[in-house]
């Protein structure tokens, strides 16, 4: 049985220096008790922060079916590089994860090749087509931890209501990205100042807020546990807070890039920042940050969407949405901390205990817990370039910029996931 | 305030402020816009000669790269290039490579391999000329002939030339743009140009369904009522209305649009007596404009067409000049190094 002792690191939540002893995949001891023990290997974490391994509620692994954009091995390693130990895998695969067979395939590949823990999210409608219910109970028993429709819309409110009611029967959590398809139409940018100036087709805020309201009303009626994925509007955060007060069982997340960028990133037609939901106004960004700080928004996700280079080599309307973010999610968060827009405790909470609680898990550094850890140096910096990225997706949010925060060690189940040369 | 996009500015201009591409009017200052107008003025005389040619682009290859059908714009660009003595290649992309699945990037690589010097680009997607300008080999100039809803800078500049010819100035002018501003790349470029050149007021007159979100941020005021909007106008620019707007539930009918926003003699009478009437074309008589107004004494619509050739000659020669100057600077730098 191997053991590892991490010394001189500071706990993310208290900033207190401590020692952590890892043995047999678990945290065997903390603090003085850990100091007294010896281990097979020591890791000096001086100057580093010790945090629970990050949990991502929305990650596109592209396997099965889109090998040119990424695969479980490459994207899970990228996740470990970013300090993530648990990934909720989007059902947007090919074939779609709408059957136990596909779920089993994902879990089998993950068991063989993944650097971190993969938790599949099943498709709530067959083929993600949005009109027929998937075998939800079967998906859950195969290992899906929640159900959703990925980035695809459900056909109408009637289907959505039935999806929720059926999922509630089995106590399953449903995850939806709120977007009213009719209002979003052919849009691909925030319907605001920049879209008006550049003549981009806009997605109005109401495309999200109308869908949020509809989903909240249906969740209230059906009693399902609803998770709203990737909010982007100030008004959505307000509605979320009101719904919580009414006692609706609803949680929510925001993509990290929504907290850092606004519609202005599209000036100059940079299709790198073509994401969905679109980057919105500064007012929206501030409201989303406040939502994270106040705990109204439970989690920050990477919304990692690796692509091959051709997917972004076209005029914006013809490019595929999404950023390759999982390796820089922590750094983007630390940039916000540097700017004073987010405190480190809120950041770590939104990457760890917040998302873990959404899927009914825990993410804590305590004796007896599974050893999922991230050790990062907040004072060190790095630059994203072709030589130091693990993801197939090279359309990173801040290319060539000095980014704060270097992940020194990622442990998943006590096993070293990053750096990977010692696996 | 009209926002300027710094990335467009650095893409369009050389280090010493010369044009190297002509993609948008954003980021171009009054001095440069005036220089374009002055250069175009000097080319008007070329069109009046018996031999309508100057040798500025002799030996250069200009490719008209039209991903959207166009008659007027393509013809004037072709004429402009030929009057500058360039070799011109017209490509109908609708029936060529990209419709066979070739990507835009690959199409460009193939065209560059033919040693083209300039691409005149029309595309249905906003930002396509920017994408092409960022992709092409240095030394190749890109001229935007209209992209999606974004910009139609040569059309706006020929409109400015027409206004200057008839009004002699921009300062103090009250200009209205009437109709489908939402879908209009022309209107966006016109608003930008008028603001930069010092017009006193730019009004947009349209129903709310045909206006972009936060349209005032472009540098204009909004008027829903045409009668009020026509008051004291020096220039009225009518925009084209496409039939799809009714199908998209943006308007109830052409008839209602004409009744409320079509320019007829009664509405024109509400403007300043010297008000000129403009339209980027093609016009829909009885939808946007009454024939008696389109063909009337205040109409300068045909002048716009004539000025289109001179403006396009101006921007093509200036962009090629900018590319050449940049290339010579680099060569001189290497020689010194």
């Amino acid at each position: 049985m191997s053991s590892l002792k991490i010394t001189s690191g500071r706990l993310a939540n208290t900033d207190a220096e401590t020692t952590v002893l890892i043995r047999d995949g678990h945290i065997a001891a903390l603090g003085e008790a850990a100091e007294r023990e010896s281990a097979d290997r020591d890791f000096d974490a001086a100057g580093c922060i010790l945090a629970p391994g990050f949990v991502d509620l929305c990650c596109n692994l592209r396997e099965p079916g889109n090998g040119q954009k990424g695969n479980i091995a490459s994207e899970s390693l990228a996740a470990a590089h970013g300090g993530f130990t648990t990934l909720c895998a989007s059902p947007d695969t090919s074939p779609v994860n709408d059957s136990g067979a596909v779920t089993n395939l994902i879990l089998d590949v993950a068991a063989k090749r993944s650097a971190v823990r993969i938790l599949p999210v099943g498709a709530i409608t067959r083929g993600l087509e949005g009109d027929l219910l998937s075998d939800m109970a079967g998906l859950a028993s195969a290992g899906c931890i929640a159900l959703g429709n990925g980035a695809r819309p459900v056909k109408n409110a009637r289907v959505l209501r039935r999806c929720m009611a059926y999922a509630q029967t089995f106590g399953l959590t449903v995850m939806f990205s709120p977007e009213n398809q009719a209002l979003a139409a052919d849009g691909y940018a925030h319907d605001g100042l920049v879209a008006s100036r550049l003549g981009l087709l806009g997605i109005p805020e109401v495309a999200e807020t109308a869908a949020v309201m509809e989903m909240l009303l249906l969740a209230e009626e059906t009693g399902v546990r609803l998770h709203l994925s990737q909010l982007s509007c100030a008004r959505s955060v307000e509605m979320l807070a009101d719904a919580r007060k009414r006692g609706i069982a609803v949680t929510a997340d925001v993509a990290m890039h929504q907290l850092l960028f606004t519609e202005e990133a599209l000036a100059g037609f940079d299709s790198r920042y073509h994401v969905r939901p679109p980057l919105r106004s500064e007012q929206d960004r501030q409201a989303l940050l406040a939502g994270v700080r106040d705990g109204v928004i439970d989690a920050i996700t990477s919304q990692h969407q690796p692509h091959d280079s051709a997917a972004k080599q076209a005029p914006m309307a013809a490019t595929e949405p999404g950023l390759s973010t999982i390796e820089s999610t922590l750094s983007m968060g630390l940039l916000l901390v540097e700017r004073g827009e987010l405190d480190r405790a809120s950041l770590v909470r939104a990457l760890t205990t917040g998302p873990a609680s959404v899927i009914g898990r825990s993410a804590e550094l305590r004796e007896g817990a599974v050893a999922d850890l991230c050790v990062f140096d907040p004072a060190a910096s790095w630059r994203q370039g072709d030589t130091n990225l693990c993801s197939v997706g090279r359309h990173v949010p801040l290319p060539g910029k000095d980014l704060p925060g270097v992940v020194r060690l990622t442990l998943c189940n006590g096993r070293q996931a990053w750096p990977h040369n010692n696996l | 305030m009209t926002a300027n996009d710094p990335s467009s500015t650095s893409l369009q201009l050389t280090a010493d402020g010369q044009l190297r591409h002509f993609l948008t009017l954003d980021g171009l200052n009054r001095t440069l816009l005036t220089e374009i107008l002055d250069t175009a003025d000097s080319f008007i005389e070329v069109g009046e000669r018996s031999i309508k040619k100057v040798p500025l682009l002799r030996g250069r290859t200009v490719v008209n790269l039209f991903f959207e059908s166009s008659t007027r714009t393509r013809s004037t660009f072709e004429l402009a290039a030929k009057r500058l003595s360039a070799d011109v290649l017209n490509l109908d992309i609708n029936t060529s490579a990209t419709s066979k699945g070739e990507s835009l990037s690959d199409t460009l690589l193939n065209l560059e391999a033919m040693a083209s010097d300039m691409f005149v680009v029309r595309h249905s997607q906003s930002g396509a000329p920017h994408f092409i300008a960022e992709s092409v080999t240095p030394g190749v100039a890109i001229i935007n002939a209209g992209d999606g809803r974004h910009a139609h800078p040569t059309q706006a500049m020929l409109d400015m030339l027409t206004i200057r010819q008839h009004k002699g100035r921009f300062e103090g002018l009250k200009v209205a743009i009437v109709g489908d501003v939402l879908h209009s790349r022309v209107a966006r470029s016109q608003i930008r140009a008028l603001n930069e050149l010092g017009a006193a007021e730019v009004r947009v007159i349209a129903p709310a369904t045909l206006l972009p979100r936060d349209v005032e941020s472009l540098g204009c005021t909004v008027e829903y009522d045409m009668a009020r909007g026509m008051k004291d106008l020096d220039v009225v620019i009518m925009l084209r209305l496409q039939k799809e707007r009714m199908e998209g539930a943006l308007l109830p009918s052409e008839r209602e649009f004409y009744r409320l926003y079509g320019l007829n003699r009664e509405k024109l009478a509400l403007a300043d007596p010297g008000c000129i009437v403009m339209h980027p074309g093609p016009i829909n008589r009885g939808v946007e404009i009454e024939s008696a107004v389109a063909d009337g004494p205040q109409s300068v619509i045909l002048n716009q067409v004539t000025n289109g050739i001179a403006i396009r000659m101006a921007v093509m020669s200036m962009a090629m000049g900018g590319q050449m100057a940049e290339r010579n600077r680099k060569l001189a730098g290497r020689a010194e190094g």
Side-chain angles (χ1 to χ4, degrees):
Chain A
M1 295 299 172
S2 65
S3 58
L4 167 70
K5 189 155 80 168
I6 302 170
T7 57
S8 308
R10 287 176 291 128
L11 290 169
N13 51 354
T14 63
D15 221 30
E17 193 173 302
T18 193
T19 300
V20 184
L21 179 70
I22 314 289
R23 187 180 288 141
D24 303 337
H26 287 74
I27 296 174
L30 278 159
E32 286 180 19
E35 283 169 33
R36 286 194 297 269
E37 300 269 353
S38 60
D40 301 334
R41 194 160 68 95
D42 284 354
F43 183 91
D44 182 4
C48 293
I49 302 294
L50 307 181
F54 304 149
V55 178
D56 195 11
L57 294 175
C58 182
C59 184
N60 289 270
L61 299 173
R62 306 300 193 201
E63 189 175 3
N66 288 294
Q68 80 283 6
K69 293 178 181 288
N71 55 60
I72 286 172
S74 66
E75 303 317 303
S76 67
L77 189 58
H81 182 201
F84 286 87
T85 55
T86 299
L87 305 178
C88 295
S90 168
D92 281 319
T93 50
S94 181
V96 164
N97 183 15
D98 63 356
S99 71
V102 178
T103 306
N104 288 329
L105 170 69
I106 291 167
L107 290 171
D108 286 350
V109 173
K112 291 189 187 104
R113 298 185 209 146
S114 180
V116 299
R117 185 181 299 102
I118 306 289
L119 302 176
V121 175
I124 202 161
T125 63
R126 280 193 212 169
L128 296 176
E129 296 290 335
D131 51 1
L132 300 173
L133 302 194
S134 65
D135 297 341
M136 296 185 207
L139 284 163
S141 44
C144 288
I145 47 95
L147 297 156
N149 225 50
R152 309 263 290 275
V154 172
K155 192 174 177 183
N156 55 44
R158 188 176 67 158
V159 176
L160 185 61
R161 181 170 177 243
R162 290 174 179 176
C163 283
M164 288 186 181
Y166 192 78
Q168 196 278 327
T169 310
F170 306 101
L172 303 171
T173 299
V174 296
M175 295 179 163
F176 288 112
S177 282
E179 186 183 88
N180 180 302
Q181 209 184 353
L183 289 168
D186 299 323
Y188 52 87
H190 171 57
D191 192 20
L193 300 173
V194 174
S196 290
R197 189 171 85 229
L198 299 184
L200 307 176
L201 272 60
I203 301 174
E205 286 165 40
V206 74
E208 179 174 302
T209 54
V212 167
M213 184 55 77
E214 181 181 73
M215 286 174 182
L216 289 172
L217 290 168
L218 292 173
E220 185 173 31
E221 189 212 39
T222 59
V224 76
R225 274 204 310 274
L226 169 66
H227 179 75
L228 296 171
S229 297
Q230 300 147 39
L231 296 184
S232 68
C233 301
R235 189 78 183 83
S236 301
V237 183
E238 279 177 32
M239 288 193 282
L240 174 67
D242 292 345
R244 286 263 180 79
K245 284 180 194 150
R246 285 177 63 85
I248 299 171
V250 58
T251 53
D253 68 53
V254 60
M256 182 62 88
H257 52 253
Q258 294 282 0
L259 300 174
L260 197 64
F261 301 106
T262 67
E263 58 184 330
E264 288 295 336
L266 297 183
F269 299 99
D270 192 343
S271 60
R272 177 188 304 273
Y273 301 103
H274 171 202
V275 293
R276 195 149 186 150
L279 298 168
R280 296 201 184 268
S281 69
E282 177 62 14
Q283 183 195 353
D284 290 309
R285 190 181 77 90
Q286 290 297 340
L288 293 166
L289 281 163
V292 174
R293 285 194 301 264
D294 302 343
V296 174
I297 294 174
D298 303 79
I300 297 172
T301 65
S302 73
Q303 211 194 330
H304 177 61
Q305 295 212 60
H307 286 298
D308 50 314
S309 60
K312 292 283 187 180
Q313 286 297 308
M316 194 183 296
T319 59
E320 294 185 53
L323 274 162
S324 182
T325 50
I326 203 150
E327 290 171 270
S328 56
T329 300
L330 171 64
S331 293
M332 286 192 275
L334 291 171
L335 271 177
L336 293 168
V337 173
E338 276 184 7
R339 290 183 190 174
E341 293 187 313
L342 195 62
D343 56 286
R344 201 175 70 209
S346 296
L347 170 66
V348 172
R349 184 185 67 230
L351 289 171
T352 57
T353 53
S357 66
V358 169
I359 53 173
R361 298 186 171 235
S362 71
E364 291 175 334
L365 296 185
R366 57 173 171 76
E367 201 173 311
V370 168
D372 286 0
L373 263 90
C374 167
V375 180
F376 66 91
D377 183 348
S381 65
W382 67 300
R383 283 186 178 204
Q384 294 192 292
D386 282 342
T387 56
N388 61 0
L389 292 171
C390 304
S391 172
V392 170
R394 297 303 157 106
H395 48 294
V396 293
L398 294 160
K401 298 266 195 314
D402 284 326
L403 299 178
V406 173
V407 173
R408 300 289 186 206
L409 179 70
T410 304
L411 296 181
C412 181
N413 274 329
R415 196 170 47 86
Q416 184 173 313
W418 183 265
H420 62 294
N421 51 354
N422 295 330
L423 277 173
Chain B
M1 277 298 292
T2 307
N4 277 338
D5 169 18
S7 59
S8 291
T9 308
S10 60
L11 187 61
Q12 289 196 107
L13 301 179
T14 63
D16 57 356
Q18 285 181 275
L19 273 185
R20 66 172 158 215
H21 301 298
F22 193 60
L23 309 171
T24 171
L25 300 182
D26 280 3
L28 305 190
N29 61 25
R30 188 185 297 201
T31 306
L32 189 52
L33 296 187
T34 305
E35 186 188 343
I36 292 168
L37 295 177
D38 293 344
T39 308
D41 261 336
S42 72
F43 283 130
I44 286 172
E45 169 270 328
V46 174
E48 292 160 356
R49 296 182 197 169
S50 55
I51 296 174
K52 301 176 176 59
K53 271 198 190 287
V54 288
L56 288 171
L57 295 189
R58 182 183 291 159
R60 303 279 177 197
T61 303
V62 174
V63 180
N64 271 333
L65 204 52
F66 277 60
F67 295 84
E68 255 187 358
S69 56
S70 154
T71 305
R72 182 181 324 235
T73 305
R74 192 171 109 172
S75 305
T76 51
F77 266 112
E78 186 175 354
L79 269 175
K82 284 178 172 170
R83 287 184 186 178
L84 292 167
S85 307
D87 299 315
V88 183
L89 176 64
N90 287 315
L91 285 183
D92 182 359
I93 304 294
N94 290 331
T95 57
S96 75
T98 49
S99 61
K100 296 173 190 167
E102 187 181 73
S103 75
L104 178 56
S105 301
D106 288 332
T107 300
L108 289 171
L109 287 170
N110 280 281
L111 290 167
E112 279 188 73
M114 299 173 199
S116 308
D117 298 289
M118 182 180 290
F119 293 138
V120 177
V121 180
R122 167 162 293 191
H123 202 286
S124 61
Q125 289 167 341
S126 300
H130 275 73
F131 169 74
I132 292 169
E134 285 168 337
S135 307
V136 292
T137 309
V140 178
I142 308 300
I143 310 292
N144 184 0
D147 61 327
R149 301 179 184 184
H150 170 230
H152 199 344
T154 58
Q155 176 68 49
M157 289 309 292
L158 71 89
D159 293 340
M160 296 309 111
L161 186 61
T162 309
I163 291 171
R164 193 170 79 165
Q165 284 168 351
H166 288 271
K167 294 291 175 184
R169 70 191 199 287
F170 293 98
E171 290 79 8
L173 289 184
K174 291 179 179 173
V175 184
I177 300 169
V178 184
D180 187 1
V181 179
L182 175 66
H183 297 90
S184 179
R185 51 195 172 209
V186 177
R188 282 176 177 81
S189 293
Q190 287 166 336
I191 293 167
R192 167 81 192 117
L194 288 163
N195 274 285
E196 188 61 34
L197 290 166
E201 187 187 351
V202 183
R203 294 172 204 164
V204 291
I205 306 172
T209 48
L210 296 183
L211 292 173
R213 181 87 176 266
D214 303 315
V215 65
E216 295 93 339
S217 69
L218 302 179
C220 57
T221 57
V222 175
E223 183 54 73
Y224 297 130
D225 182 84
M226 181 112 176
R228 276 203 305 268
M230 291 297 292
K231 200 170 182 306
D232 305 326
L233 278 187
D234 300 296
V235 180
V236 58
I237 303 172
M238 303 304 297
L239 297 174
R240 184 161 169 235
L241 183 77
Q242 295 188 320
K243 291 195 189 306
E244 301 92 272
R245 307 307 167 222
M246 271 59 73
E247 292 155 21
L250 290 162
L251 290 173
S253 65
E254 287 181 346
R255 186 190 311 167
E256 173 140 316
F257 180 82
Y258 182 62
R259 188 171 63 80
L260 296 171
Y261 298 101
L263 186 63
N264 56 19
R265 282 162 292 181
E266 291 75 23
K267 290 184 189 130
L268 184 57
L270 300 170
D272 184 272
C275 179
I276 57 170
V277 175
M278 300 174 70
H279 194 305
I283 61 175
N284 287 323
R285 292 166 186 264
V287 177
E288 303 131 12
I289 192 164
E290 182 185 33
S291 283
V293 173
D295 304 327
Q298 289 167 269
S299 169
V300 296
I301 295 169
L302 291 177
N303 295 94
Q304 291 173 260
V305 180
T306 307
N307 287 336
I309 301 169
I311 279 287
R312 282 153 187 152
M313 288 173 78
V315 297
M316 289 165 108
S317 57
M318 287 169 72
M320 206 67 249
Q323 293 282 2
M324 285 299 298
E326 196 163 57
R327 189 183 309 176
N328 292 338
R329 251 195 321 277
K330 280 178 187 166
L331 288 171
R334 269 188 226 144
E336 284 170 22

